[in-house]
Amino acid sequence: MKADPSAVDKGSGAGRPRDPRIDAAILAATAELVAEIGYSNLTMAAIAERAGTTKTALYRRWAGKAELVHEAAFPAAPTALEMPAGDITADIRAMIAGARDVYTRPVVRAALPGLIADMAADEHLNARIRDRFTATFSAVRDRMLEGMERGEVHPDIDPDRLVEVIGGATMLRLLLDPARPLDEDWVDQTTAIVVHGVRR
C-alpha cells in the first residue's frame, strides 16, 4: 500500500500541509486516464495507481470522482476576457472562441457526458461544481455592465443567460455532432447570432 506523504488529519489539524506535487500528480493522472479510457471506466483506484498515491489521498482532497474529474478537465475557470473592454462584439467572440477551445480539449470531450449525468443526478455535486465557475460568471457580468454603461448592450440582458447560451451552444454541438470541427466559421456564425439575433 502506498504511503501518502501529504496526509493531514483534518480532525486534529495536525500533520504536514498538503503537498502540491501530489495534487498535481493526481490531476494529471486523472486527465490522462479520462482521455484514455473514458469517464465511465475511470475509478479512484486507477487514478491513485497512476498518480503513485492512495485512494485515501484522493478522498482527502475531493469528495468523489466527478469533482476530481471536473477539476482535472477544467483546472481553472476560463473567462476569455483578457483583452481591454470597449468592443462588445470582440468580447462575445472571445467568449465563444474560449468556450470552443476549452470544450474541444480531449479530456473535456471524454469527461463531459459522464459529468453531465452525474451533475444532473446530484444537486449538491451540481452546486459544488457550479461554484467553481463563479469567476467566469463575474467576469462576464462585469463586462456586460460595462457594455451597458457605454450603450452597447441592452439593459435587460442577463449576463448569466449569456453564459448559458454560449456554453450550451458549444456543448450541444459537441454532443450531437462530435465529428464536425468547431472552426472559425462556427465561431463567427455563433457570434453573429448572439450579437445581432435572428430578427431582420
Side-chain angles (χ1 to χ4, degrees):
M1 185 173 190
K2 301 180 183 67
D4 177 15
S6 62
V8 175
D9 183 343
K10 289 185 176 181
S12 67
R16 297 180 182 178
R18 272 173 41 179
D19 186 341
R21 293 173 298 179
I22 299 293
D23 291 30
I26 293 169
L27 291 168
T30 303
E32 292 168 3
L33 284 167
V34 170
E36 290 173 14
I37 65 176
Y39 182 87
S40 61
N41 294 320
L42 185 67
T43 66
M44 296 293 264
I47 296 168
E49 181 70 26
R50 176 69 64 93
T53 187
T54 66
K55 285 199 298 181
T56 301
L58 272 60
Y59 283 111
R60 281 196 179 99
R61 293 160 169 81
W62 293 275
K65 182 175 81 168
E67 286 189 34
L68 172 51
V69 170
H70 190 276
E71 188 168 339
F74 302 95
T79 63
L81 292 175
E82 296 178 356
M83 79 289 290
D87 184 341
I88 199 63
T89 299
D91 286 347
I92 297 296
R93 192 186 192 286
M95 293 177 205
I96 293 169
R100 181 269 315 271
D101 293 344
V102 168
Y103 284 109
T104 53
R105 293 172 54 228
V107 61
V108 175
R109 294 184 74 144
L112 200 56
L115 278 175
I116 291 173
D118 281 355
M119 289 174 67
D122 185 340
E123 63 180 71
H124 297 294
L125 170 66
N126 187 302
R128 290 194 300 271
I129 288 179
R130 192 171 61 244
D131 285 346
R132 295 194 66 238
F133 286 91
T134 299
T136 297
F137 278 70
S138 295
V140 173
R141 189 176 295 110
D142 291 345
R143 193 55 62 93
M144 291 299 102
L145 290 173
E146 292 167 0
M148 290 174 189
E149 291 173 358
R150 296 192 305 270
E152 286 188 290
V153 176
H154 291 294
D156 58 348
I157 293 296
D158 185 337
D160 292 349
R161 301 295 80 73
L162 176 63
V163 173
E164 291 170 2
V165 167
I166 293 172
T170 309
M171 287 191 289
L172 187 63
R173 170 63 180 274
L174 287 172
L175 291 171
L176 295 182
D177 199 356
R180 291 178 62 196
L182 276 72
D183 55 16
E184 296 304 306
D185 183 62
W186 180 88
V187 173
D188 290 338
Q189 287 283 329
T190 307
T191 300
I193 291 170
V194 172
V195 171
H196 302 297
V198 296
R199 185 174 180 179
R200 186 170 181 179

